[in-house]
């Protein structure tokens, strides 16, 4: 039984790359990557092309409104009929049309221990708050910002002298491992998304 995954990204794509490599060595169970989609020109797009993955770009500037972009994204993803959509560093909130179609099968990974530090500056916010431990969370996507049901978490201690960059890199090491584990678990059926 195959299990097809579409990844959405906006940045360097190191999480997506870790998933591609994990799938190649059989570490994601029956899950294989069908495509990577982006919302802006970014290194993730080049990485996926180099890896020989199908890619698609859905840029907001090409649509008259946010709602149209949302529908355009849903359409582009639907081409691949995915069992799972992974938002891995996709820096845009998924809208109602997308969630109506894929909300039961879309997960996000976030660089903080939700519900603490939601939003685009989670690592900076954790440092500013002076906590001693932060981490990463995989969760199902809902209409809020980083608010959906939590699937998995990993803790990462904050070290003396950490900057946003050094801390984020250490979080991403755990985030990649967590994401591979979650995708494998979902594909094998040992993890179930609420509502599926
Ligand atoms: C991850 O920490 C993700 O949670 C956040 O952006 C980072 C993506 O990293 N939203 P990369 O682009 O996959 O390297």
């Amino acid at each position: 039984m195959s299990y097809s995954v579409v990844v959405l990204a906006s940045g360097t794509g190191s999480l997506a790359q870790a998933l591609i490599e994990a799938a190649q060595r059989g570490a994601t169970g029956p899950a294989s990557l069908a495509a990577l989609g982006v919302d802006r020109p970014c290194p993730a797009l080049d990485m996926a092309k180099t890896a020989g993955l199908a890619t698609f770009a859905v840029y907001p500037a090409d649509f008259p409104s946010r709602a149209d972009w949302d529908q355009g994204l849903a359409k582009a993803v639907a081409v691949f009929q995915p069992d799972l959509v992974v938002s891995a560093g996709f820096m845009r909130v998924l809208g109602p049309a997308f969630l109506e179609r894929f909300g039961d099968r879309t997960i996000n990974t976030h660089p903080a221990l939700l519900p603490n530090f939601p939003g685009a500056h989670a690592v900076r916010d954790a440092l500013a708050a002076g906590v001693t431990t932060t981490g990463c969370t995989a969760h199902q996507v809902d209409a809020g910002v980083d608010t959906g049901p939590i699937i998995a978490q990993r803790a990462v201690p904050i070290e003396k002298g950490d900057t946003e960059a050094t801390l984020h890199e250490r979080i991403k090491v755990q985030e990649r491992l967590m994401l591979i584990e979650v995708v494998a678990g979902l594909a094998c059926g040992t993890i179930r998304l609420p509502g599926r």
Side-chain angles (χ1 to χ4, degrees):
M1 208 197 71
S2 68
Y3 185 91
S4 131
V5 181
V6 167
V7 180
L8 303 176
S10 306
T12 59
S14 72
L15 268 56
Q17 182 157 21
L19 267 184
I20 293 172
E21 288 168 7
Q24 280 166 350
R25 61 173 190 272
T28 54
S32 62
L33 266 61
L36 178 133
V38 299
D39 65 333
R40 65 194 73 183
C42 59
L45 186 59
D46 304 322
M47 178 281 295
K49 283 181 180 163
T50 305
L53 197 64
T55 59
F56 59 90
V58 186
Y59 299 145
D62 295 336
F63 293 85
S65 70
R66 212 197 118 72
D68 289 302
W69 171 79
D70 181 35
Q71 275 177 9
L73 181 67
K75 238 179 174 171
V77 169
V79 168
F80 300 96
Q81 300 193 315
D83 297 293
L84 180 70
V85 180
V86 179
S87 157
F90 190 65
M91 300 307 283
R92 217 169 282 273
V93 175
L94 297 166
F98 187 92
L99 291 177
E100 197 185 319
R101 203 146 175 190
F102 296 111
D104 67 337
R105 64 192 63 199
T106 301
I107 63 168
N108 178 48
T109 166
H110 181 76
L113 293 174
L114 292 172
N116 295 331
F117 312 118
H121 305 293
V123 181
R124 192 189 307 169
D125 293 346
L127 273 176
V131 294
T132 53
T133 301
T134 184
C136 52
T137 303
H139 66 94
Q140 187 170 10
V141 173
D142 67 8
V145 176
D146 304 320
T147 48
I150 290 172
I151 304 163
Q153 292 189 304
R154 284 184 178 223
V156 176
I158 295 181
E159 289 171 6
K160 208 165 161 246
D162 255 337
T163 62
E164 187 178 353
T166 60
L167 179 57
H168 200 173
E169 274 317 310
R170 278 207 325 287
I171 291 172
K172 288 210 289 185
V173 171
Q174 294 305 318
E175 219 176 340
R176 293 181 197 113
L177 297 171
M178 175 186 72
L179 187 57
I180 292 165
E181 224 172 72
V182 165
V183 169
L186 288 167
C188 295
T190 53
I191 301 176
R192 277 183 187 281
L193 291 179
R196 285 208 88 192

